[in-house]
Amino acid sequence: MKYSIFILLAILFFPLQCARQSYRIHIGESFYPSSQQLTNYGGSAIAAARADTLIELTGIYCDKNVFLDRYPVIRIHSSAQGKLFAPLSARLDCQDGSLINIKGRVVNLPITYSIIKKTLYYNHLEPRTYYTISDNQKIIDKVNVEFQKIRDDLQKKITIEQSKLQLSLLPDWDIWFDEQRNILIFHSHQHDLMYAADIEFIVDAKTGKIKDVFAKEWFKGEM
């Protein structure tokens, strides 16, 4: 009788455990191919566009003074080019991390560097219209909660011998949107003087379900 009860509890408990972690964890791997791992910021998606060109984009709004330490950006991702962004000429009235659709005009803005006494010009997207598709706050909270659940396990599995790098309890995620695959890419790059680590959560943009987690650490002298 006791054996039968044990079997019954095991049958009931096993699917629950599977449901709690339905995603795959890739230790020592990155979501990005090696050719796309050299930059954490990506390249400008509109650098080669002509002034006054009208452009429409769907991506993640980032209001953290990313471009030239002063301009917000729209973050997008493509399988071929990896991380891309479009610098905006002005801030938008929406939450950081929101998935938005934006239409705008390319403008060429000057930046003067006092140290070298030189002025350079960079393409920006001047917003005309935009709307929020999803503010993503529930997804961001979900990723943070899940990361905290598996953080200690990830720490043990990726830590290199002699490394003292400790993963943050609450990472500052950079989020990218891949429209073709309809996924959100949460990326956290963490480092100390000698070692670095990348943590990536891949999330279905429609359902909010975590699909994959990538985690790797390396000695910075190796790259």
Side-chain angles (χ1 to χ4, degrees):
M1 181 65 178
K2 290 183 178 179
Y3 181 76
S4 299
I5 293 174
F6 174 79
I7 294 296
L8 179 61
L9 290 174
I11 293 173
L12 293 173
F13 184 67
F14 182 73
L16 181 61
Q17 286 290 91
C18 292
R20 286 179 179 174
Q21 185 172 302
S22 57
Y23 52 84
R24 295 164 293 181
I25 297 180
H26 309 263
I27 298 298
E29 300 179 39
S30 173
F31 172 75
Y32 301 96
S34 56
S35 61
Q36 296 177 5
Q37 293 177 26
L38 298 178
T39 173
N40 292 319
Y41 305 104
S44 173
I46 62 172
R50 292 184 178 181
D52 292 325
T53 301
L54 298 178
I55 291 179
E56 179 177 0
L57 293 172
T58 299
I60 300 296
Y61 176 65
C62 181
D63 193 11
K64 298 178 181 177
N65 297 325
V66 172
F67 188 63
L68 303 176
D69 295 326
R70 69 176 74 179
Y71 295 103
V73 299
I74 303 298
R75 284 176 166 154
I76 58 178
H77 180 271
S78 79
S79 299
Q81 296 175 278
K83 299 172 183 174
L84 296 168
F85 63 86
L88 301 181
S89 62
R91 284 181 165 78
L92 305 180
D93 186 19
C94 58
Q95 284 189 290
D96 184 86
S98 295
L99 178 63
I100 71 168
N101 176 273
I102 184 170
K103 296 178 182 177
R105 180 177 67 95
V106 175
V107 294
N108 205 235
L109 300 182
I111 300 294
T112 299
Y113 297 90
S114 58
I115 296 178
I116 61 174
K117 297 180 180 179
K118 191 173 183 179
T119 298
L120 300 179
Y121 291 81
Y122 299 92
N123 278 355
H124 293 67
L125 190 64
E126 181 181 73
R128 288 195 168 184
T129 62
Y130 69 92
Y131 63 89
T132 298
I133 299 171
S134 169
D135 67 16
N136 289 332
Q137 296 310 302
K138 289 183 179 180
I139 295 178
I140 294 171
D141 291 342
K142 181 177 182 178
V143 168
N144 281 326
V145 168
E146 199 61 35
F147 172 75
Q148 290 167 9
K149 287 180 182 178
I150 64 175
R151 174 186 171 274
D152 291 345
D153 188 47
L154 293 180
Q155 183 80 67
K156 292 176 184 177
K157 290 180 177 178
I158 69 171
T159 298
I160 299 173
E161 186 178 357
Q162 298 183 342
S163 171
K164 296 182 180 180
L165 176 63
Q166 294 295 308
L167 296 177
S168 170
L169 289 171
L170 191 62
D172 187 16
W173 301 105
D174 292 329
I175 311 172
W176 310 80
F177 177 61
D178 188 316
E179 187 171 17
Q180 184 177 9
R181 289 181 281 188
N182 201 34
I183 57 173
L184 300 173
I185 305 161
F186 283 70
H187 175 230
S188 173
H189 179 71
Q190 305 182 33
H191 61 91
D192 59 18
L193 291 176
M194 297 184 65
Y195 296 89
D198 279 339
I199 308 295
E200 294 145 352
F201 275 68
I202 312 304
V203 182
D204 187 296
K206 183 177 180 180
T207 65
K209 182 180 179 181
I210 298 170
K211 300 174 65 176
D212 293 274
V213 175
F214 294 82
K216 63 177 292 187
E217 181 178 336
W218 66 93
F219 176 59
K220 290 197 291 187
E222 294 176 355
M223 294 190 69

